[in-house]
Amino acid sequence: MIITDNHMHLYNHLRLKALKQFRQVGGTHVLLVSLLSHHYGILPSKGEDFRQIFEEHVRLVEKANEIVRAYAVLSVHPAEITILSKRWGVDRAAEIMKEALEIAGEYVSEGKAIAIKSGRPHYEVSEYVWKTSNEVLQHAFEVAKDVGCVVQLHTESYTREGMEEIAKLADGAGLSRERVVKHFSPARIDEFRELGFFPSVIAMGDNVLKAAQQGDRFVVETDYIDDRDRPGSVLGPKTVPRKIRELLQKGFDEDFVMKICKDNVERIYGIEMEI
């Protein structure tokens, strides 16, 4: 049986040991997402500086594949606009992020990554930063359309109105809404089906069970951060396998698990998964 964590980070705490814990409780596949530039000790002055980050992340994913089946997602986190604008100003920060997204797209084209991550700030920003962040996000959608990949979406807390705004950006870029995966999704599967986006349900509390009760059009994640200052945040690496086991105990069968952990992942990311 395949059990997939759709969104996990490895940083400075357990590192690859986190994947060993994941495997010990039944985890088999994981999408590993790169972090913010400052996590790598870098303050980019141009998009090309992100290549160092992406190279380091791809090497980490190669090592991860000795433990489980791991896939690289390359992130240009929306919070970069705040970090970079302190040094370079908002407009140049946005240019750097757009350049970095194009480089991430190159890695996808070369088969080194399966998706990119973008979005808009999850915290309060000025109207101009908000507008500019949306422009960066639309560029991410354009890159994804060009290279044929998914955008994992990092945004403010879920609202239907907010997702409808983002849907218009995806439509404007010509990117299928099903290739937009909402990271850290609530268990509102029916609404996501109506919107056309694909929810990556955060495995907190009874979210996975609530999602399953609405159908099988979702994937599951921990958003494990692997920060030694916040061990276990957001959720620990064992969480997804344990939540999948709870579904089986509640009467959902292995076919259902394979739908959310294999079939959906294969369909939206365009990959083939093996145990």
Side-chain angles (χ1 to χ4, degrees), residues 2-5 28-31 69 71 114 258-267 269-275:
I2 287 176
I3 296 179
T4 305
D5 189 326
T28 61
H29 292 66
V30 62
L31 275 66
R69 184 68 180 96
Y71 306 91
I114 65 167
M258 292 295 276
K259 178 69 175 179
I260 64 174
C261 285
K262 179 180 184 291
D263 298 349
N264 289 346
V265 178
E266 288 184 330
R267 188 172 102 223
Y269 291 100
I271 59 176
E272 292 185 8
M273 303 172 73
E274 298 178 355
I275 295 178

Side-chain angles (χ1 to χ4, degrees), residues 4-5 8 10 16 19 22 28-33 57-58 60-73 111-114 271 273-274:
T4 305
D5 189 326
M8 181 188 287
L10 297 180
L16 294 171
L19 298 183
F22 175 68
T28 61
H29 292 66
V30 62
L31 275 66
L32 293 175
V33 186
H57 187 64
V58 167
L60 177 65
V61 172
E62 289 174 354
K63 293 178 181 177
N65 269 287
E66 298 174 7
I67 303 168
V68 294
R69 184 68 180 96
Y71 306 91
V73 178
K112 297 177 181 178
I114 65 167
I271 59 176
M273 303 172 73
E274 298 178 355

Side-chain angles (χ1 to χ4, degrees), residues 33-166:
V33 186
S34 62
L35 293 154
L36 285 142
S37 57
H38 68 77
H39 290 107
Y40 301 87
I42 295 171
L43 178 60
S45 62
K46 55 187 181 300
E48 189 66 25
D49 292 339
F50 275 81
R51 194 177 296 274
Q52 180 179 341
I53 295 168
F54 298 157
E55 283 291 331
E56 184 172 333
H57 187 64
V58 167
R59 288 195 297 270
L60 177 65
V61 172
E62 289 174 354
K63 293 178 181 177
N65 269 287
E66 298 174 7
I67 303 168
V68 294
R69 184 68 180 96
Y71 306 91
V73 178
L74 299 180
S75 173
V76 182
H77 196 288
E80 296 283 6
I81 199 163
T82 300
I83 297 167
L84 300 180
S85 65
K86 290 177 182 177
R87 183 70 175 269
W88 313 114
V90 174
D91 291 343
R92 180 56 187 151
E95 289 174 3
I96 293 169
M97 294 169 73
K98 289 177 181 178
E99 292 166 3
L101 286 163
E102 291 167 5
I103 293 168
E106 292 176 15
Y107 278 76
V108 173
S109 294
E110 294 166 0
K112 297 177 181 178
I114 65 167
I116 61 178
K117 174 184 169 184
S118 184
R120 57 190 192 183
H122 58 276
Y123 49 89
E124 190 171 346
V125 294
S126 71
E127 184 177 340
Y128 187 70
V129 169
W130 187 251
K131 172 181 175 292
T132 307
S133 295
N134 277 299
E135 292 170 359
V136 173
L137 175 56
Q138 177 141 15
H139 191 69
F141 290 151
E142 291 166 354
V143 169
K145 171 64 166 56
D146 288 344
V147 301
C149 77
V150 162
V151 175
Q152 285 200 2
L153 196 60
H154 178 110
T155 71
E156 72 280 10
S157 295
Y158 173 88
T159 65
R160 178 70 179 254
E161 180 183 21
M163 290 299 100
E164 287 174 346
E165 290 176 5
I166 292 171

Side-chain angles (χ1 to χ4, degrees), residues 5-20:
D5 189 326
N6 185 67
H7 192 106
M8 181 188 287
H9 307 280
L10 297 180
Y11 177 35
N12 65 5
H13 181 42
L14 295 177
R15 296 285 283 179
L16 294 171
K17 291 179 182 177
L19 298 183
K20 292 179 180 179

